[in-house]
Amino acid sequence: MKVTKAQAQANRAHIVETASALFRERGFDGVGVADLMAAAGFTHGGFYKHFGSKADLMAESASCGFANSSESLGEMDAAAFLGHYLSREHRDNPGQGCTMAALCSDAARQPTSVKQAFVAGIEAQLAAGQGHHAQEATAAQGARAERIALIAQAVGAIVLSRSCPDDSSLAEEILEVCRADVLARLSRAPDA
């Protein structure tokens, strides 16, 4: 039975969404094409009808993950978002969480197309956090630097916390200390 163009596009989108969650959960190298396609409900043989390579899918799934995060960021203010981001719930669910925290280390070892998807995604996160900062060039530069520092601290906190055993008091302490620090910094920032 021939698949319509619309159905083929829907199938591809479903594969990308499935891959995005699986890659965040297991890492880029922790998921094979056969396992990925099975999880999406398709046969292994259909993969190359949709993608030229696994790297193509990795880049597209990273972009998908960043887009989903941007939607979440747009729905709440920065303090609420960072409060949730630096929570045990987010830490314990990498498949539904942040692409940066789950895959930055993996992306560093991947082809340029994957790294470019991360550059675009990180830039989008920085732009989404721009809010109502002053328009003056110097203030904008300072605000961007502050957003970079906040993102780096939040991502680093999740990565460090995930590296600890689940029952480790240090895992929770890292989240608590960083959550308190970023929320305090946000409350002091002009136009936050």
Side-chain angles (χ1 to χ4, degrees):
M1 183 166 103
K2 186 168 174 130
V3 175
T4 66
K5 192 172 198 173
Q7 185 60 52
Q9 289 173 337
N11 291 348
R12 179 187 176 99
H14 177 67
I15 294 166
V16 170
E17 284 282 344
T18 301
S20 182
L22 283 175
F23 287 145
R24 283 178 292 182
E25 186 177 306
R26 301 183 199 168
F28 288 130
D29 294 333
V31 182
V33 170
D35 291 336
L36 171 77
M37 292 300 284
F42 300 103
T43 63
H44 175 260
F47 178 82
Y48 292 101
K49 292 179 183 174
H50 295 283
F51 307 98
S53 67
K54 184 179 174 187
D56 290 346
L57 175 58
M58 291 186 311
E60 195 168 331
S61 69
S63 296
C64 174
F66 279 112
N68 291 342
S69 291
S70 289
E71 286 176 26
S72 297
L73 182 58
E75 294 172 4
M76 57 181 90
D77 68 17
F81 179 80
L82 286 166
H84 169 73
Y85 188 95
L86 292 167
S87 70
R88 191 69 183 231
E89 179 186 351
H90 177 234
R91 178 226 191 241
D92 293 345
N93 293 292
Q96 285 74 51
C98 174
T99 299
M100 288 183 284
L103 293 170
C104 272
S105 294
D106 282 10
R109 296 175 193 89
Q110 300 304 325
T112 301
S113 62
V114 175
K115 291 178 183 180
Q116 288 172 333
F118 272 76
V119 167
I122 294 166
E123 285 289 356
Q125 297 297 314
L126 290 169
Q130 212 164 355
H132 304 288
H133 290 284
Q135 296 300 315
E136 184 181 325
T138 306
Q141 188 93 12
R144 179 178 169 86
E146 182 65 18
R147 287 190 308 277
I148 289 170
L150 286 170
I151 288 171
Q153 182 177 6
V155 169
I158 291 294
V159 171
L160 287 173
S161 182
R162 284 180 179 161
S163 71
C164 299
D166 288 344
D167 61 350
S168 166
S169 61
L170 180 58
E172 188 62 33
E173 182 181 12
I174 290 166
L175 294 177
E176 288 173 5
V177 167
C178 291
R179 184 173 47 247
D181 184 66
V182 298
L183 293 176
R185 287 169 58 197
L186 276 178
S187 69
R188 292 189 306 263
D191 300 309

